[in-house]
Amino acid sequence: MSRTPRSASTVSTLARLLLIAVVLLLCGAAFAWTGGWLGGRGLSGAAMVDALQASAGPHPGFRRNHAKGICISGNFVGNGNGTRLSSTAFFEKTRATVVGRLALAGGNPYAADAAVPVRSIALQLRLPDGQEWRTGMNDIPGFPVSTPQAFQQLTLASTPDPATGKPDPALMRAFADAHPEFVAFGARMAARPHSSSFANDTYNSINAFVFIGGDGARHVVRWSLKPQLSFEPATASSADAPARDALFDDLLARLDRGPLVWHLIVTVAGAGDASNQAAVPWPEDREQVDVGTLTITGASSENLGDCRDIVYDPLVLPSGIQGSDDPLLSARSDTYAVSYRRRAGEPPGDSALHGRKAGSEP
Ligand code: HEM
């Protein structure tokens, strides 16, 4: 065998390998671009989850945010009023089963309830034909910032300094100076009446979504769950500190007495209302439509209930409802998936509410 043909074949093999490497690199770059990891367009879910973990400390087996929570079950019944806004079957006079979660924001699964200012409800609604709608709502008036980048910077700035156990005031001041929407949010939070219970609280989608009507018309909306119970203010903390799990104790006691009910209220955006700025509230006078009733009949700790392995990804939507151009939506989708993969690969942590149960199955 002569040397010339062998080196020609070596060269062509090398060239082919190089081509494959270039194609793989380009594919990788394309994936990274699509995921928003290159070009400064966004953040990876992993970077976001790293920031949340750095802030709350390691709590293996738990959600990286809203770590302290309890599974809830019940149903959602549409009343027909929403069908002129969206063709979703959930707004017809139908009954969906609900597996949800009531939780406190933050990454500490053992937090004292009274110390956490933000509560949440997450719902997975399912119709008998298999259609599904997942949604997560917080009880705050909007979000502190409107972009994933700003939320990551805020998470890092508010990470407790190990020396003091508190966020560095200089970092927080610098963040506030660069983010006037955060300062405005702080003022709304300070003025917000804080309710006494999960049961008499209002929860907001905060992000905007798009409803598609049967006629194809698009309506930009946000939604809220408003409690049937009247608002009662949280009592100011007295000399006797409330029990660590006071809010969850209250929820379980109420469910043992009977179901809890909320109305799903859709707010329709007016001309000029931004769909991509979760930090900016819409004017109070916008049209609101009551589209149905959520009834929660039971609650169980995560080791007993069905919610632990559900990812309440806000972009799991039924036909007739779409995500908007709000950049927080796809960041949430990505981040929740990373949080799920990490916690699902760890031994389940023993929740503060381990073994607790109340009420009845729907
Ligand atoms: C970029 C901004 C945000 C980030 C990075 C973020 C991050 C997270 C993470 C990591 C979880 C845990 C997910 C899991 O392991 O299943 C979570 C839960 C949650 N988030 Fe967000 N979040 C963001 C914005 C929002 C917004 C705007 C809302 C609006 C209401 C929201 C509502 C919720 C709720 C309700 C839960 C609890 C879900 C449950 O109980 O399982 N989040 N968030």
Side-chain angles (χ1 to χ4, degrees):
M1 211 182 275
S2 79
R3 286 176 59 88
T4 321
R6 205 168 58 211
S7 53
S9 95
T10 310
V11 168
S12 88
T13 308
L14 267 174
R16 272 204 301 271
L17 284 175
L18 223 103
L19 187 69
I20 292 169
V22 169
V23 169
L24 284 177
L25 267 170
L26 285 177
C27 286
F31 277 122
W33 175 256
T34 319
W37 301 329
L38 287 179
R41 284 188 315 125
L43 282 171
S44 72
M48 195 73 92
V49 170
D50 287 345
L52 289 165
Q53 274 176 211
S55 180
H59 293 289
F62 288 97
R63 281 168 163 80
R64 278 10 185 207
N65 201 359
H66 299 249
K68 184 176 183 185
I70 197 161
C71 301
I72 51 176
S73 53
N75 60 71
F76 174 79
V77 180
N79 57 22
N81 295 340
T83 52
R84 71 181 170 84
L85 294 171
S86 165
S87 60
T88 174
F90 285 94
F91 291 166
E92 287 162 20
K93 292 183 179 167
T94 49
R95 182 189 174 98
T97 53
V98 170
V99 177
R101 190 167 175 271
L102 280 163
L104 301 179
N108 178 1
Y110 307 106
D113 296 353
V116 182
V118 182
R119 303 174 200 149
S120 64
I121 192 165
L123 305 174
Q124 179 203 52
L125 299 91
R126 270 182 305 183
L127 288 173
D129 68 2
Q131 287 199 68
E132 192 175 329
W133 179 11
R134 297 190 201 175
T135 174
M137 290 166 255
N138 286 342
D139 73 342
I140 44 178
F143 208 56
V145 290
S146 289
T147 66
Q149 292 83 351
F151 186 63
Q152 192 215 28
Q153 288 159 16
L154 174 60
T155 306
L156 292 173
S158 54
T159 297
D161 179 339
T164 60
K166 294 192 172 133
D168 179 341
L171 288 179
M172 286 303 290
R173 202 168 316 113
F175 183 84
D177 287 347
H179 293 278
E181 74 281 18
F182 173 65
V183 178
F185 171 81
R188 289 201 303 281
M189 279 293 274
R192 167 185 79 140
H194 204 50
S195 88
S196 62
S197 164
F198 277 117
N200 55 28
D201 210 350
T202 296
Y203 303 90
N204 304 308
S205 75
I206 299 177
N207 298 122
F209 293 80
V210 180
F211 282 177
I212 315 292
D215 55 358
R218 296 167 65 85
H219 308 274
V220 174
V221 299
R222 289 172 171 163
W223 55 75
S224 301
L225 277 173
K226 300 221 161 130
Q228 189 137 293
L229 288 174
S230 307
F231 175 84
E232 271 177 20
T235 46
S237 53
S238 63
D240 304 324
R244 181 190 66 178
D245 304 326
L247 278 176
F248 290 95
D249 295 342
D250 165 80
L251 174 77
L252 293 163
R254 285 176 189 265
L255 283 170
D256 271 336
R257 293 198 293 273
L260 297 169
V261 175
W262 284 264
H263 288 264
L264 184 62
I265 308 294
V266 170
T267 301
V268 185
D273 293 346
S275 53
N276 60 358
Q277 288 175 40
V280 180
W282 293 343
E284 293 279 324
D285 63 355
R286 293 304 182 233
E287 181 192 4
Q288 297 201 322
V289 185
D290 181 341
V291 299
T293 306
L294 172 74
T295 303
I296 296 302
T297 55
S300 319
S301 57
E302 288 172 299
N303 63 305
L304 301 174
D306 295 328
C307 74
R308 196 197 64 194
D309 296 334
I310 298 176
V311 180
Y312 291 99
D313 179 334
L315 290 177
V316 176
L317 296 165
S319 140
I321 305 182
Q322 294 177 359
S324 69
D325 58 348
D326 184 336
L328 291 178
L329 282 172
S330 46
R332 287 177 66 189
S333 190
D334 189 14
T335 306
Y336 294 13
V338 173
S339 173
Y340 173 73
R341 281 198 297 277
R342 291 196 188 173
R343 62 187 169 83
E346 299 160 349
D350 243 359
S351 143
L353 307 162
H354 191 87
R356 307 278 306 270
K357 201 172 166 56
S360 60
E361 292 304 314

